[in-house]
Amino acid sequence: MSDLIQIKGIGEKTIKLLNKLGINNKEDLLYYYPKDYELFSDFSNICDIHIGDVVTIKAYVITKPLIIRKNRFILTTCKVDDGTGRISCSWFNSPFILSYLKINNELILRGKVVESKNKIYLSQARIYSNEQYNKLKGKLLPIYNLTKGIQNQSIRKYVSVILKEYDSNFTKDYLPKFILKERELPKLCFALNSIHFPNEYKDLYIARNRLVYDEFFIFYLSIKYLKQIKSKIEIGIIKNLSDIFSKKVIENLPFNLTISQKNAYLDIIKDLNKNIPMNRLIQGDVGSGKTIIAFLAMFYMCSANKQSAFMCPTEVLAKQHYNNINKIIYDNKLPIKAILILGSQTKKERKINEQLIKSKEALIAIGTHALLSKEVEFNDLSLVITDEQHRFGVNQRKALENKSKEINTLVMSATPIPRTLALLLYSDLNISLIKEKPIDRIPIKNAIINESYRNNAYNFIQKEIQKKHQAYIVCPQVEPNDEELPGSFLHYENVYDYTKKLKEILPSNINIQILHGKMKSSEKEKIMQDFYNNNIDILVSTTVIEVGIDNPNATIMMIENADRFGLATLHQLRGRVGRGKNQSYAIFVNTSNSEISNKRLEVLKHSNDGFYIADHDLKLRGPGDIFGVKQSGSIEFNIADIYTDKEILYKVIDDVSKLLLNDPQLLDPKNKSIKDKLNNYLENKYVL
Ligand code: ADP
Ligand code: MG
């Protein structure tokens, strides 16, 4: 039973909800950082407020409330005046608000200023009494990510209980004093208190620095420490390795490998013939042809009758790889069996596949993280590959590696993070860089358009379809309002309504289909198969297609509400086209008029190079952004951001290197608390 039950007010039902948020015990709750803070400021004058601000105003109701009902939604609006100006307030599905909205009532209203159809609104404002507001004024209170059924207020309460407990048990900081002093870091105890309930903004910065330092510290220490241990492991040289299968496959490929691909393949062969385990990262931009290298590595392993596992972040991608490898096996008449392991498979299917792995009849297993489950027992696993490594993080990678002692590791990633950072973060890996794209590729042409050009875009898509090419259109949402949006007036395209609209606009002979993550696995599979076979002209999808999907015949990627996505995601999405011989196009629909989203999209327009984009993403964000956009991809840090916190990362690298140089095994009694922390981290993080 979780120790959460000890907290007053938490019962089993709440525990289940907390679990949904990834909170399984008290410690998780302590480290469940706020996503933002609410500052209860003085009252603003209506004449001074700006779009995007969260403000408190004190004003009189001057109009009767207007109620609009549409489908399931009720919208209530009314106007208020504070003597400096007037503003409309709007509430979504909040009928209880009506009782406050009497003409001449004086209200304290707190909400976000949003714009819709050239009008400014105060959206979803909360209403306070004078007394209530005076109590809150000047305070910074945490705002947490929530799930349905649990309120912010409750999490605040639980966290403060735990902080009190923690304070009274806190004795010694595990980081030595000289590091705290040299790096100007506060005690962990202060940092944890202040990250949840800062007294002022300044504390927040200081606290955050410490927590970022800690995250990098333990992460980097664990990598370096494990690397030391690993470098001492000797494995027997694998017998009978040969290129009988891989050579044949290369000869029969419909293309020549690029120089970088050949080099990566040779790197792997060299590694696998050594008496220490392989630890290699293949880094290459989207579309550079990483998959075939992974296949070749597995075929190479098969020659020695050893097993390989290939883990992918999505079922759609796993299935695609599975089909492709089977085709190669069949075409080359290789005596090799590959199987697929997915979470969505029936028990019976799973059992059969698990048996094939256990008995070693199957040498190749492709799948999602379902491969990690206990039931999947390999007989002679020797090579573990993870595709789109940045989607998994180190922990899952290690979990798969734990399935065998003598393991060779290959990870593949297109993470567009600045090169120097990649080298540091993947410091336990040797890197093969795929520098060039296959020679037959023509650079993708990019366009940023606003909504008024949509019809032109549709005409263009039709022309491509006439050439028998295909298109993707990506929308941010699956259904209307399937997530809570900041400012209820903002409109984001959703897959269902969009498809309906598109079918009305385009001729009926154009086949438009839908794909999104919430669909049943078998449905997804059918749609993808139809799309590969060119039975579907336009696939309207969410970002489920972001990683790995490979249909060289698709030439258009149109992204709706492009301003809503991170640059890394946009770059990955764009990477779904330009994978064949045809000219391909990326169309970014910009629905925001903010300067910064314009600039960000311009970066994409000017370059198709992931590293260039990563560097610019960093510059545009700047270090001022305290809780940066949640990085899509890269290693999963809770609060640290490898872009904006790289100065801290460099310090950590220095400190950890010195520490391990003086005491490689961390045996010195004065390093005991660090060693304990490390052991704890390794136990908790690397075991599933
Ligand atoms: P990624 O690096 O993004 O994983 P893929 O491995 O999916 O890229 O490869 C993209 C496409 O390029 C695939 O259709 C693949 O068959 C093809 N491809 C791979 N290598 C070459 C090559 N040397 N020449 C031409 N096409 C290639
Ligand atoms: Mg790929």
Side-chain angles (χ1 to χ4, degrees), residues 291 387-388 548:
T291 319
D387 195 10
E388 308 288 350

Side-chain angles (χ1 to χ4, degrees), residues 224-242:
K224 280 284 168 189
Y225 184 80
L226 290 180
K227 188 176 185 182
Q228 275 182 25
I229 296 175
K230 239 183 174 175
S231 68
K232 295 204 179 74
I233 301 178
E234 284 203 11
I235 54 174
I237 295 206
I238 304 174
K239 286 193 200 98
N240 299 328
L241 274 174
S242 87

Side-chain angles (χ1 to χ4, degrees), residues 428-440:
D428 60 334
L429 300 167
N430 300 309
I431 298 184
S432 301
L433 206 59
I434 304 200
K435 299 188 198 102
E436 73 279 38
K437 296 233 166 119
I439 38 170
D440 57 3

